Amino acid sequence: MSKECEESVQIYNRYKTYNGDAESPAASAASANGVFGDCKESIVEVSGGRNHKGLTMGMGAMFLVGEMAGAGVLNLPSAILNTGWAGVPMMVVLCGAVGYTGTRLALCWVIVEERWEEYRAPCRRPYPVIARQALGRPGQIVTEVALFVTLFGAGTVYLLLVSQQTHDLLYQLVPSLSQCAWTLIIGLILTPFTWLGTPKEFWPASVLAVTSTFLACLVVLSEVIIEKDLHPFPEYPNPSFNSFFLGFGSILFSLGGACIFPTIQNDMKDRSQFPHSVVITFLVLLGLYLPVSIISYGILGSQGIKENIMQSVSGKAVIMAQVFLLCHFLFAFVIVVNPVYQTIEGILNLPNELGIRRCLLRTGLMMAIVVTGLAVPEFSKILDLMGGSTITLLSFILPALCYMRLCALPGPDGLPHRKLRRWEMVLLYAIVAVGLAGGVASTWSALVGILSPKSFSTTCFSSSAFLS
């Protein structure tokens, strides 16, 4: 082995100390314009290929449910309020479409592994790798930016939910503190935890997420049915153009986990089984989302539905569910914002160790998240914007485009790698078209809501906003 190859293998081995599993050297090479060159075979030999101690199909589905359910389900009844009853079949259709593109995205990574064996080692950022191989450098850049914005927005949503839940739970003890004040306090408390390195072995957090979400849905359904007599004449207003597409964005946010699909797939024992995990995930999500949305909106109507459905019900069981959700959102926040920090640190070439530069950078980024939350304290507005823009791009458009492109790439014999059936091509193009149209309309509606004069009256940037 040449001296250059030995150095590349040493670089590869250093990744093992970073994340427990080494990143695929090809992923690093892709982002560095092929820095490993002819040493790929030596590195693949050292890496040992696939991870034989990864997640099972069921555990992969649990991780996906834990990451996707939670923040989205709390806003779904409000989404149905915005869309009207048409939102129910739309939810089923979008769930099927996103689930299908999710399986195509999973097959994209299988194709990447088949075509380029250097990617069979664990990879920390597989989605940009898929985009680069399918769409070139521009596709990789678009994907990286979309991932960054999505995770930044999701982190802001989680921070606002933690602040809202804390305010609701502690209002009787500290009535003088508003949700705006709690946003600032929670941000300061969480900042030191964001200085830590890459999260490892987070399966307990996934179990907590699934448990808390199931518990919250069960509590909401029970309390809504119990309080049915308090809402004898529910009203169901017709949606407007803007409200309908706001609901479109909210529904997509609740289904928008595609940005983590390739990452979870890379941690699986048999990565070809990941499409089955995706199918299980979306069946479970539909089983959660449909009852909560239909029963809540059907009984409460437009008068009783609030931005966060947990605020539409009350009782001791609700308090217990809020505590579980609060724990889930705290874990989720730290996990979600970590890739945002790692991306910026990679661009700035900061060392992968706890130090003053990491602390200053992550504190500054945390301040940016807090300021965003204070500027737009209604989490549903950020949720609508993310759902209509970057999540539509990552869940609808890019998976379909990447899959069609990778299948069309010529193999060693000059023929396409995989020949798609006509109905599948039509379906994929239809999904891209619906994603583009719905995404543009939803993003426009969300921006109109955020930038409207009424919206500026609810910002936290006033002295009175920090006191109830």
Side-chain angles (χ1 to χ4, degrees):
M1 188 185 300
S2 67
K3 180 178 179 181
E4 289 79 8
C5 289
E6 290 178 358
E7 292 176 352
S8 298
V9 171
Q10 291 173 4
I11 293 173
Y12 172 82
N13 288 331
R14 282 199 292 272
Y15 278 110
K16 290 185 177 180
T17 63
Y18 178 78
N19 197 22
D21 292 310
E23 178 184 13
S24 166
S28 301
S31 61
N33 296 320
V35 71
F36 285 100
D38 297 330
C39 301
K40 292 177 180 177
E41 293 182 2
S42 302
I43 299 172
V44 171
E45 182 179 352
V46 173
S47 73
R50 289 182 179 272
N51 179 13
H52 296 287
K53 297 182 180 180
L55 301 172
T56 62
M57 180 177 66
M59 202 64 189
M62 177 174 286
F63 266 92
L64 292 177
V65 173
E67 286 297 318
M68 296 172 66
V73 71
L74 298 181
N75 190 245
L76 274 181
S78 178
I80 301 300
L81 169 62
N82 286 331
T83 61
W85 285 113
V88 175
M90 183 172 69
M91 185 188 304
V92 177
V93 172
L94 290 179
C95 186
V98 176
Y100 179 74
T101 56
T103 61
R104 300 310 94 181
L105 187 61
L107 290 177
C108 283
W109 187 256
V110 173
I111 294 173
V112 168
E113 286 192 346
E114 290 175 355
R115 291 291 303 272
W116 299 277
E117 65 177 17
E118 61 267 23
Y119 289 105
R120 295 173 186 174
C123 175
R124 286 188 291 119
R125 300 187 63 77
Y127 204 152
V129 169
I130 292 172
R132 182 180 180 89
Q133 295 301 326
L135 306 174
R137 180 67 174 168
Q140 181 189 12
I141 294 174
V142 169
T143 304
E144 291 275 14
V145 172
L147 286 170
F148 180 88
V149 174
T150 298
L151 294 174
F152 184 92
T156 306
V157 168
Y158 280 124
L159 175 64
L160 291 175
L161 282 171
V162 169
S163 304
Q164 188 180 88
Q165 299 287 80
T166 304
H167 176 261
D168 293 343
L169 289 170
L170 300 181
Y171 180 75
Q172 298 298 327
L173 296 177
V174 194
S176 60
L177 293 180
S178 67
Q179 181 183 329
C180 294
W182 280 115
T183 299
L184 188 58
I185 294 170
I186 296 297
L188 292 173
I189 293 174
L190 287 177
T191 297
F193 294 96
T194 65
W195 297 342
L196 302 177
T198 306
K200 301 177 184 178
E201 304 297 333
F202 274 111
W203 68 265
S206 177
V207 174
L208 173 64
V210 174
T211 302
S212 61
T213 302
F214 270 97
L215 178 62
C217 292
L218 181 62
V219 167
V220 167
L221 289 176
S222 301
E223 293 296 331
V224 166
I225 294 173
I226 291 173
E227 298 176 5
K228 179 180 179 180
D229 294 338
L230 300 178
H231 305 273
F233 304 107
E235 297 180 2
Y236 312 112
N238 293 324
S240 64
F241 177 88
N242 281 348
S243 71
F244 183 86
F245 282 101
L246 285 176
F248 178 91
S250 296
I251 293 173
L252 268 184
F253 185 93
S254 68
L255 301 170
C259 61
I260 64 167
F261 281 11
T263 303
I264 301 298
Q265 184 179 15
N266 255 264
D267 289 334
M268 291 188 67
K269 185 183 302 184
D270 183 358
R271 300 172 196 177
S272 64
Q273 293 293 310
F274 185 72
H276 301 299
S277 298
V278 173
V279 173
I280 295 172
T281 297
F282 281 93
L283 289 176
V284 172
L285 290 178
L286 267 185
L288 284 174
Y289 291 172
L290 286 177
V292 171
S293 303
I294 295 173
I295 294 176
S296 297
Y297 184 58
I299 293 178
L300 300 178
S302 60
Q303 309 98 321
I305 295 293
K306 295 184 179 180
E307 176 189 55
N308 181 348
I309 190 60
M310 295 297 293
Q311 295 183 323
S312 301
V313 292
S314 59
K316 294 182 179 179
V318 175
I319 295 176
M320 182 173 64
Q322 286 179 320
V323 171
F324 271 89
L325 284 174
L326 178 61
C327 295
H328 163 43
F329 293 147
L330 285 169
F331 275 109
F333 175 83
V334 177
I335 295 172
V336 163
V337 300
N338 196 275
V340 176
Y341 298 153
Q342 291 184 58
T343 300
I344 300 299
E345 289 167 359
I347 294 174
L348 298 178
N349 292 319
L350 295 186
N352 180 41
E353 58 186 17
L354 183 62
I356 185 65
R357 285 190 292 174
R358 170 193 277 186
C359 294
L360 289 176
L361 174 65
R362 296 194 175 192
T363 300
L365 290 172
M366 185 68 184
M367 290 175 61
I369 293 175
V370 171
V371 169
T372 304
L374 293 175
V376 190
E378 297 180 31
F379 79 91
S380 63
K381 292 183 177 180
I382 299 176
L383 186 145
D384 294 337
L385 180 61
M386 294 298 101
S389 56
T390 57
I391 288 180
T392 300
L393 180 65
L394 294 170
S395 300
F396 256 78
I397 301 171
L398 284 176
L401 294 179
C402 289
Y403 181 65
M404 289 189 288
R405 178 58 181 160
L406 286 174
C407 288
L409 289 178
D413 55 1
L415 298 176
H417 187 75
R418 294 188 182 187
K419 185 173 178 60
L420 298 179
R421 298 176 183 176
R422 186 180 299 274
W423 67 265
E424 191 171 14
M425 291 289 293
V426 172
L427 178 59
L428 289 170
Y429 277 118
I431 289 174
V432 171
V434 171
L436 282 173
V440 170
S442 180
T443 302
W444 172 260
S445 298
L447 288 174
V448 168
I450 291 175
L451 299 177
S452 65
K454 181 181 177 181
S455 177
F456 287 102
S457 65
T458 62
T459 181
C460 289
F461 291 113
S462 64
S463 58
S464 60
F466 288 86
L467 297 175
S468 297

